[in-house]
Amino acid sequence: MKYEILKKQFGYDTFRPGQEEIIDAIMQGRDTIAIMPTGAGKSICYQIPALMLEGITLVISPLISLMKDQVRSLNQNGIRAAYLNSTLTPGQYRKALMLAAQGEYRIIYVAPERLESESFLRFVQQARIAMVAVDEAHCVSQWGQNFRPSYLKIREFMQKYSGQWRFCAFTATATKQVEEDMIGLLGMRSPYIVKTGYDRKNLFFSVEYPANSFLRLLELVRQRSGQSGIIYCIRRKDVEELCEKLCAAGIRATRYHAGLSDEERNANQEDFIFDRCPVMVATNAFGMGIDKPDVRYVIHYSMPSSLENYYQEAGRAGRDGQSAECILFYKAADERVLQFLLENQDFGDIGETQRKERIAKDWRRLEAMKGYALTQACLRHTILTYFGEDSPEQCGACSNCMHEYELIEISESVHTILGAIKSVRQKFGATIVLSLLKGSRSARIGQYGLDQSAFYGSLSGLTMRQLQDILRFMIQDGLVETTADTYLVLRITPKGSRFFAHPSSLTMRQYKKGKEPDAQDDEVFEQLRAVRLRLSRKYRVPP
């Protein structure tokens, strides 16, 4: 029966890795946890059992946009589904509950906050529930990104109303701690756990350190003209400014963040999904559950706050299995913004001890993210190791692996940079310190009298890019750290102090000109895209 549903309702002949195993475990009545990367087909794993079971499947989902996309897709496939959330008027909500109670829907998506609604709980007591599926289950853990306190209500809900309901939970990213939290905080009973692996072999990972972020972004977007891409920023105002500048440069871009009205967010999302605006500039409010398989690139214009966030957001590229790019821009200034946001979060009513614990966890996640941005090791290996998965030390398909490099001796340069930081009493950031070493004649160097320093121009033989590379190595190696006072300043660590007192040989990989992924220039492919667009408009469905 599962194969018949797979073919008839979803159009596939075979299951992807892990899908059949998960479906079988659910149908055997076992509590089930599935950890599958974005694009691996998690939704089918609970939608097929929902169609095989007698009764209603409740899907607890964190985002309205996710619910709408899933319900629309199901209804287009001939599967009656609905959602219950705050976008419905009281009349629409009552009608939806009435139709659900009459067995009109096989699958109903609900926000976790509904578990505290009296009208919803009355419906649950009367309806024939077959299964509860928790989507984005990492939201239950304070160790994971997107923590949602309302997810903590799921355990009580299941214990009070479950009976013989089947219970399953799904996520794309979960460290060992988050996995343990999902089991304990959701109250799962000896769950059957399926992990299909985190590796997305079709994704090409790269990190860039652009001198002019916007000009580099514009270059990348123009090189990928006609392709769908997502550009992530930290702040809403960055989204607004960047989208406006891209549009002014002739790029068909739109925007998405929580400060827009529901109507505008929905309209902009539709423009992106239907390829009217192939470029989406957004905060992390966009993307969870967005079903657009042909996103060819995801560019993080700002560094996100954790590797969990980064891998989930980057994973929205290439969900169709075709090659796609995940590009991260690293700018030291982003750290200051992230540190401010981290320390000024709204923690609700939790106590001071818990608040400090949460901040400490977030600091560790930010440090891991920064480590990824600065590492010279394989980027894929760095990600997979973070999530506890074994992998080769070189993947051959990330920017760090694909560049040719040579080892250079940098101990003298490092000693000079440390001396310069000490000479300015550790009061300045990277720009001032490196400008001092380069012998810059900028107004700020003159303003602070640094052109009189013994270190002025002492590394003028190196390019600014080479100086930046060496400083990034020093930060990654733990010789120097960036500390936010009123702004980011460079501080020498105890390890750096020991090296300054007793210098030793230090080598760094210096990259030669790297290989770029081949640009897609396929006339037949472009013709097929045009046919697909005509058909999507004819049938009013996303391409």
Side-chain angles (χ1 to χ4, degrees):
M1 185 177 180
K2 60 189 174 186
Y3 287 103
E4 182 183 343
I5 295 173
L6 180 69
K7 179 64 175 177
K8 182 179 177 181
Q9 302 293 350
F10 300 100
Y12 299 116
D13 293 312
T14 58
F15 286 105
R16 294 183 186 180
Q19 286 181 327
E20 187 172 13
E21 183 182 358
I22 294 163
I23 291 168
D24 288 345
I26 292 172
M27 294 306 297
Q28 290 165 11
R30 298 193 62 176
D31 286 2
T32 305
I33 289 179
I35 303 173
M36 308 167 74
T38 301
K42 292 186 290 293
S43 57
I44 279 180
C45 296
Y46 59 79
Q47 289 170 353
I48 287 181
L51 300 178
M52 296 171 68
L53 296 167
E54 292 294 328
I56 297 169
T57 289
L58 298 177
V59 182
I60 298 173
S61 176
L63 288 180
I64 290 170
S65 59
L66 182 152
M67 297 184 200
K68 288 184 174 180
D69 270 13
Q70 293 281 357
V71 168
R72 176 175 59 186
S73 178
L74 287 167
N75 284 318
Q76 286 174 350
N77 287 341
I79 302 167
R80 293 289 287 158
Y83 55 78
L84 301 173
N85 59 42
S86 59
T87 65
L88 300 178
T89 65
Q92 290 173 327
Y93 186 77
R94 286 193 298 271
K95 183 177 180 181
L97 281 182
M98 180 187 71
L99 292 173
Q102 294 172 357
E104 182 71 18
Y105 307 117
R106 300 298 297 274
I107 301 175
I108 300 175
Y109 285 78
V110 297
E113 290 78 10
R114 291 291 119 186
L115 305 185
E116 300 177 78
S117 163
E118 290 184 11
S119 59
F120 177 73
L121 294 178
R122 282 197 302 271
F123 155 73
V124 167
Q125 290 174 317
Q126 299 165 4
R128 184 178 182 184
I129 307 298
M131 180 172 69
V132 172
V134 181
D135 205 4
E136 308 296 346
H138 61 268
C139 293
V140 77
S141 174
Q142 294 186 26
W143 282 92
Q145 83 284 20
N146 310 122
F147 172 63
R148 289 280 288 270
S150 53
Y151 264 59
L152 297 174
K153 301 291 183 181
I154 295 174
R155 177 173 183 163
E156 180 183 345
F157 173 75
M158 289 299 298
Q159 290 175 338
K160 188 172 181 180
Y161 294 102
S162 64
Q164 299 302 309
W165 300 349
R166 286 168 169 81
F167 191 22
C168 51
F170 298 82
T171 187
T173 52
T175 59
K176 186 64 178 176
Q177 177 69 56
V178 173
E179 180 185 326
E180 291 173 359
D181 279 357
M182 287 192 297
I183 296 171
L185 297 175
L186 291 174
M188 305 195 89
R189 302 157 297 184
S190 303
Y192 185 76
I193 301 174
V194 178
K195 302 178 186 178
T196 60
Y198 287 97
D199 194 8
R200 297 274 305 283
K201 296 186 184 299
N202 63 313
L203 299 184
F204 178 89
F205 293 95
S206 63
V207 178
E208 297 197 10
Y209 315 95
N212 186 311
S213 297
F214 179 71
L215 290 182
R216 177 54 179 156
L217 176 71
L218 191 58
E219 179 183 22
L220 290 169
V221 172
R222 283 175 170 165
Q223 287 171 353
R224 291 150 184 78
S225 177
Q227 297 181 356
S228 290
I230 304 173
I231 301 165
Y232 280 110
C233 301
I234 299 174
R235 300 174 296 187
R236 298 175 188 178
K237 71 175 224 175
D238 298 332
V239 170
E240 295 284 346
E241 293 173 2
L242 197 56
C243 185
E244 184 177 337
K245 290 169 73 173
L246 286 172
C247 290
I251 304 298
R252 287 183 295 138
T254 188
R255 59 186 181 161
Y256 192 106
H257 59 72
L260 302 176
S261 67
D262 289 343
E263 293 76 13
E264 184 173 357
R265 281 203 306 271
N266 291 336
N268 293 351
Q269 181 177 311
E270 293 283 307
D271 284 344
F272 178 67
I273 289 174
F274 282 87
D275 287 339
R276 292 187 288 267
C277 291
V279 177
M280 172 62 79
V281 187
T283 62
N284 61 5
F286 177 80
M288 193 184 288
I290 300 299
D291 188 18
K292 184 169 174 57
D294 63 335
V295 174
R296 295 272 65 85
Y297 62 91
V298 171
I299 298 174
H300 277 80
Y301 193 76
S302 314
M303 184 176 74
S305 60
S306 70
L307 267 173
E308 288 95 338
N309 279 344
Y310 177 70
Y311 200 48
Q312 187 174 70
E313 291 160 12
R316 285 157 195 156
R319 293 182 61 174
D320 55 6
Q322 302 302 308
S323 60
E325 297 173 273
C326 307
I327 303 167
L328 170 68
F329 283 8
Y330 174 78
K331 306 184 290 294
D334 289 342
E335 291 179 47
R336 181 174 57 192
V337 176
L338 289 168
Q339 288 166 353
F340 175 82
L341 295 174
L342 184 154
E343 293 179 348
N344 291 275
Q345 300 174 71
D346 181 8
F347 291 110
D349 298 327
I350 68 174
E352 184 61 22
T353 301
Q354 287 178 296
R355 178 181 172 278
K356 288 181 178 178
E357 289 175 354
R358 284 280 304 280
I359 289 177
K361 292 174 186 176
D362 289 344
W363 267 111
R364 288 194 286 274
R365 282 196 284 264
L366 178 57
E367 285 300 312
M369 183 68 241
K370 182 177 168 183
Y372 171 86
L374 296 173
T375 188
Q376 293 186 357
C378 170
L379 296 174
R380 189 183 306 274
H381 177 70
T382 301
I383 291 171
L384 297 178
T385 300
Y386 179 78
F387 288 110
E389 186 169 315
D390 293 332
S391 67
E393 292 191 3
Q394 288 196 325
C395 70
C398 73
S399 60
N400 284 3
C401 287
M402 291 186 69
H403 279 92
E404 295 180 7
Y405 65 89
E406 58 187 353
L407 288 175
I408 60 169
E409 172 65 39
I410 60 168
S411 53
E412 186 175 336
S413 297
V414 168
H415 194 267
T416 302
I417 293 172
L418 290 170
I421 296 171
K422 284 173 68 71
S423 75
V424 297
R425 292 177 291 181
Q426 305 183 85
K427 289 185 176 181
F428 294 103
T431 301
I432 293 292
V433 171
L434 296 186
S435 296
L436 162 65
L437 292 161
K438 182 66 179 165
S440 168
R441 296 182 180 179
S442 71
R444 294 182 72 191
I445 292 294
Q447 174 188 345
Y448 296 120
L450 297 179
D451 51 352
Q452 304 302 312
S453 166
F455 287 91
Y456 182 72
S458 57
L459 292 179
S460 59
L462 299 178
T463 66
M464 184 58 77
R465 181 61 183 265
Q466 288 172 322
L467 288 171
Q468 290 169 340
D469 287 344
I470 294 172
L471 181 58
R472 276 195 295 273
F473 173 87
M474 293 170 66
I475 294 172
Q476 174 66 17
D477 199 50
L479 299 169
V480 171
E481 63 185 2
T482 53
T483 303
D485 293 336
T486 52
Y487 60 93
L488 285 175
V489 300
L490 293 175
R491 294 279 174 83
I492 299 172
T493 65
K495 181 179 179 180
S497 296
R498 290 193 296 272
F499 179 87
F500 187 76
H502 305 286
S504 57
S505 178
L506 205 57
T507 57
M508 180 187 82
R509 296 198 311 180
Q510 177 174 275
Y511 294 117
K512 299 177 182 178
K513 187 174 181 180
K515 306 171 188 175
E516 294 291 336
D518 292 335
Q520 194 168 39
D521 185 20
D522 186 339
E523 185 177 345
V524 175
F525 178 78
E526 291 303 320
Q527 291 172 350
L528 286 170
R529 286 184 76 241
V531 171
R532 182 186 68 171
L533 182 59
R534 288 198 300 272
L535 289 172
S536 75
R537 288 172 175 169
K538 178 180 178 180
Y539 295 109
R540 296 185 179 182
V541 295

